[in-house]
């Protein structure tokens, strides 16, 4: 493009309304990342929180073996090389513990030497994906968004997911993701049992061809030959596209679920209710929905990542055998509704609304407590500000940008006018 053309281009014009909307969007985005945390108090006293925003300070811990909360990142590590990790589950603030040497926490100094339940990955060194690259990547021509695995919580580039093509990622016509959560290729080996659930758990009603069947007498998942991933739409189309062997597997699972319903009917649950309600922690006697003991089962690994639909966690079986498996594999957090990023952001929005309402209420209460003279003074000040801003904008040279010095001069003129009036 001709450089002279750029010089002659008109500067972008942004209205006050557009600017305020942009500020609102940025504030909301920050609240979603921080979970509504105002960053004033260290979260250490709250113990291992289900989910919170975590940061890694490479200045203090270059080995990437520690993480700090929002408040500590702002107060204790201001000016340091900080890596924003978004959120981590079951984490407790490390700031100032033994990993920081002589450095101490300015907010909460009385921490244990080490938080033994914390887990760390290469994200704490500022590296992501199987390619172990930083984000933003200084060597990349274009910064590509990454996807976070809901188990290991690492981030992955689409081209490194282990798919034959990025077209296998469930998206709508606009290119927006249709999946609620994603499980990476490595973690899918732990979650092999998900292939036995109904297609409803898969994003957009599509399921990876797990090619497994259940052997009730052996309690083993047996492999069937498969070399590719197929899309299996729900409904009538599914029956025309599914192979006989895949249908056999689904029929076996359906029989297992049907058998569980029979057991439920004789227990404390109503057969008309959703199965997830009948497998709550108070009804562990109910048979497994999958009809197989996954603790003793031999997993079938199809080597593919998983894309899950909304509320897929609600469908997970909660029988004693499955609970034992979840605990063994350290994935019991999947049964916790508050663990998901969707719930985390939902709570963040609620906290934001509460804070905005409190602020509006405080402003109204403050104004109402003022006397008549003080109220008039405030209203007059607002009018002076509006008149001054209007005059400032009308007198400004439209061919030149408004500088920081112009803004300072505007407020200085307002102050001078107020002093003259007084």
């Amino acid at each position: 493009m001709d450089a002279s053309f750029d010089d002659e281009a008109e500067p972008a014009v942004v209205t006050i309304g557009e600017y305020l909307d942009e500020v609102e969007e940025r504030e909301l985005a920050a609240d979603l990342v921080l979970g509504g945390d105002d960053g004033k108090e260290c979260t250490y006293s709250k113990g291992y929180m289900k989910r919170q925003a975590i940061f890694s300070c490479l200045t203090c811990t270059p080995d990437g073996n520690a993480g700090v909360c929002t408040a500590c990142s702002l107060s204790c590590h201001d000016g340091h090389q900080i890596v924003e990790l978004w959120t981590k589950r079951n984490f407790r603030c490390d700031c100032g513990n033994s990993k920081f040497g002589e450095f101490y926490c300015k907010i909460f100094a009385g921490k244990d030497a080490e938080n033994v339940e914390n887990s760390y990955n290469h994200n704490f060194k500022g590296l992501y994906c199987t390619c172990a690259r930083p984000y933003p990547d200084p060597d990349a021509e274009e910064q590509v968004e990454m996807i976070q695995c809901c188990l290991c919580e690492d981030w992955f580039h689409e081209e490194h997911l282990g798919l034959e093509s990025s077209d296998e990622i469930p998206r709508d016509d606009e290119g927006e993701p249709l999946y609620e959560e994603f499980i990476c290729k490595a973690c899918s080996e732990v979650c092999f049992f998900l292939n036995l659930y109904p297609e409803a758990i898969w994003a957009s009603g599509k399921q990876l061809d797990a090619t497994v069947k259940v052997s009730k007498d052996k309690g083993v998942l047996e492999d069937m030959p498969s070399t590719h991933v197929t899309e299996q739409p729900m409904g009538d189309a599914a029956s025309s596209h599914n192979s006989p062997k895949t249908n056999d597997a689904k029929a076996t699972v359906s029989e297992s679920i049907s058998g569980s319903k029979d057991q439920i009917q004789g227990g404390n649950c109503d057969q008309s209710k959703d199965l997830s309600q009948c497998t709550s922690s108070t009804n562990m006697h109910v048979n497994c929905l999958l009809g197989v003991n996954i603790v003793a089962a031999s997993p079938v690994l199809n080597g593919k990542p998983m894309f899950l639909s909304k509320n897929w966690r609600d469908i997970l079986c909660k029988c004693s055998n499955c609970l034992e498996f979840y605990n063994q594999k350290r994935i019991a957090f999947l049964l916790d509704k508050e663990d998901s990023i969707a719930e985390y952001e939902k709570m963040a929005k609620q906290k934001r609304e509460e804070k905005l309402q409190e602020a509006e209420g405080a402003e109204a209460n403050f104004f109402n407590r003022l006397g008549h003279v003080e109220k008039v003074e405030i209203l007059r000040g607002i009018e002076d500000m509006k008149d001054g801003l209007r005059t400032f904008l009308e007198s400004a040279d439209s061919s030149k940008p408004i500088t920081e010095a112009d803004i300072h001069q505007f407020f200085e003129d307002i102050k001078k006018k107020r002093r003259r009036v007084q």
Side-chain angles (χ1 to χ4, degrees):
M1 183 179 290
D2 189 355
S4 62
F5 180 81
D6 285 342
D7 295 338
E8 297 175 358
E10 294 185 2
V13 178
V14 179
T15 66
I16 293 179
E18 290 173 338
Y19 173 74
L20 294 177
D21 288 342
E22 183 179 350
V23 171
E24 172 68 18
E25 289 179 4
R26 290 181 179 180
E27 289 180 350
L28 176 59
D31 277 344
L32 293 181
V33 172
L34 301 178
D37 186 356
D38 56 15
K40 295 181 180 179
E41 297 182 3
C42 176
T43 60
Y44 180 83
S45 61
K46 298 180 180 179
Y48 294 91
M49 296 179 63
K50 289 183 178 180
R51 185 170 290 283
Q52 65 171 313
I54 292 296
F55 303 81
S56 175
C57 180
L58 298 183
T59 302
C60 297
T61 54
D63 292 335
N65 61 344
V68 302
C69 67
T70 301
C72 289
S73 72
L74 297 173
S75 299
C76 305
H77 303 273
D78 184 30
H80 293 190
Q81 185 181 355
I82 295 292
V83 177
E84 181 181 325
L85 302 177
W86 199 21
T87 73
K88 294 292 180 183
R89 68 166 58 90
N90 194 40
F91 202 92
R92 197 174 195 184
C93 181
D94 286 321
C95 182
N97 65 15
S98 62
K99 297 182 177 182
F100 288 78
E102 299 298 322
F103 183 89
Y104 67 93
C105 179
K106 299 177 182 179
I107 307 176
F108 196 110
K111 294 184 173 73
D112 291 338
E114 186 176 352
N115 296 315
V116 294
E117 292 186 30
N118 282 358
S119 61
Y120 312 89
N121 60 11
H122 65 169
N123 294 168
F124 288 79
K125 296 181 181 180
L127 305 177
Y128 307 90
C129 190
T130 56
C131 61
R133 295 296 302 167
Y135 185 89
D137 191 337
D139 296 332
E141 296 182 0
E142 180 182 358
Q143 302 302 326
V144 181
E145 291 187 4
M146 293 186 285
I147 306 174
Q148 187 185 38
C149 173
C150 67
L151 263 73
C152 67
E153 298 188 299
D154 196 2
W155 295 79
F156 299 86
H157 298 102
E158 290 184 0
E159 62 267 29
H160 299 151
L161 296 182
L163 299 173
E164 295 180 5
S165 168
S166 60
D167 292 337
E168 296 180 44
I169 301 175
R171 294 190 178 95
D172 61 18
D173 295 336
E174 303 297 326
E176 294 298 320
L178 290 171
Y179 56 91
E180 176 87 358
E181 292 186 287
F182 156 78
I183 297 177
C184 71
K185 178 180 177 181
C187 291
S188 68
E189 297 181 2
V190 177
C191 295
F192 66 91
F193 60 93
L194 292 178
N195 292 304
L196 298 176
Y197 281 92
E199 290 181 353
I201 73 168
W202 305 106
S204 188
K206 298 174 182 178
Q207 181 177 14
L208 297 179
D209 185 6
T211 62
V212 297
K213 67 178 181 180
V214 182
S215 177
K216 284 188 177 181
D217 54 339
K218 298 179 181 179
V220 175
L221 306 182
E222 298 177 347
D223 192 10
M224 293 181 180
S226 177
T227 58
H228 65 281
V229 175
T230 59
E231 294 181 348
Q232 301 172 353
M234 297 179 66
D236 295 337
S239 60
S240 61
H241 288 80
N242 294 342
S243 68
K245 292 183 178 180
T246 306
N247 285 331
D248 289 343
K250 292 177 182 176
T252 305
V253 175
S254 298
E255 291 172 2
S256 300
I257 295 177
S258 176
S260 296
K261 287 185 177 181
D262 294 338
Q263 294 290 334
I264 292 169
Q265 191 175 23
N268 297 326
C269 294
D270 182 352
Q271 187 178 4
S272 63
K273 293 182 179 180
D274 182 71
L275 279 178
S276 62
Q277 300 177 15
C278 297
T279 55
S280 64
S281 58
T282 58
N283 294 288
M284 292 309 169
H285 63 283
V286 178
N287 285 350
C288 179
L289 299 182
L290 302 179
V292 59
N293 183 0
I294 59 174
V295 175
S298 299
V300 172
L301 310 178
N302 60 14
K304 293 290 184 179
M306 298 176 171
F307 299 90
L308 290 310
S309 65
K310 186 176 182 180
N311 299 326
W312 69 276
R313 299 186 185 212
D314 296 341
I315 304 176
L316 296 180
C317 179
K318 302 176 184 65
C319 74
S320 57
N321 283 334
C322 286
L323 287 176
E324 180 183 352
F325 178 83
Y326 302 150
N327 289 324
Q328 283 183 3
K329 300 299 182 180
R330 303 187 63 149
I331 58 173
F333 55 80
L334 292 178
L335 301 178
D336 185 357
K337 188 174 180 65
E338 294 181 359
D339 173 79
S340 70
I341 294 296
E343 284 297 316
Y344 176 81
E345 293 185 342
K346 180 180 177 180
M347 288 188 288
K349 289 180 180 179
Q350 291 176 347
K351 290 180 181 179
R352 176 175 175 78
E353 289 298 324
E354 291 172 359
K355 286 192 295 185
L356 292 176
Q357 291 176 3
E358 288 177 1
E360 291 175 358
E363 292 171 359
N365 290 333
F366 170 77
F367 189 77
N368 291 333
R369 287 196 301 267
L370 296 176
H372 176 71
V373 176
E374 289 86 353
K375 290 180 179 178
V376 171
E377 284 295 316
I378 289 178
L379 295 175
R380 184 180 296 168
I382 294 174
E383 288 301 318
D384 289 344
M385 178 68 72
K386 290 169 59 178
D387 292 339
L389 182 60
R390 187 182 301 109
T391 301
F392 171 74
L393 294 175
E394 289 174 351
S395 62
D397 188 346
S398 59
S399 63
K400 298 179 181 180
I402 296 175
T403 65
E404 183 178 356
D406 295 330
I407 299 298
H408 284 300
Q409 186 60 49
F410 165 73
F411 283 106
E412 186 61 32
D413 292 342
I414 292 292
K415 290 179 181 179
K416 289 179 180 179
K417 182 179 180 181
R418 293 295 298 162
R419 285 196 292 267
R420 288 196 300 270
V421 172
Q422 294 173 354

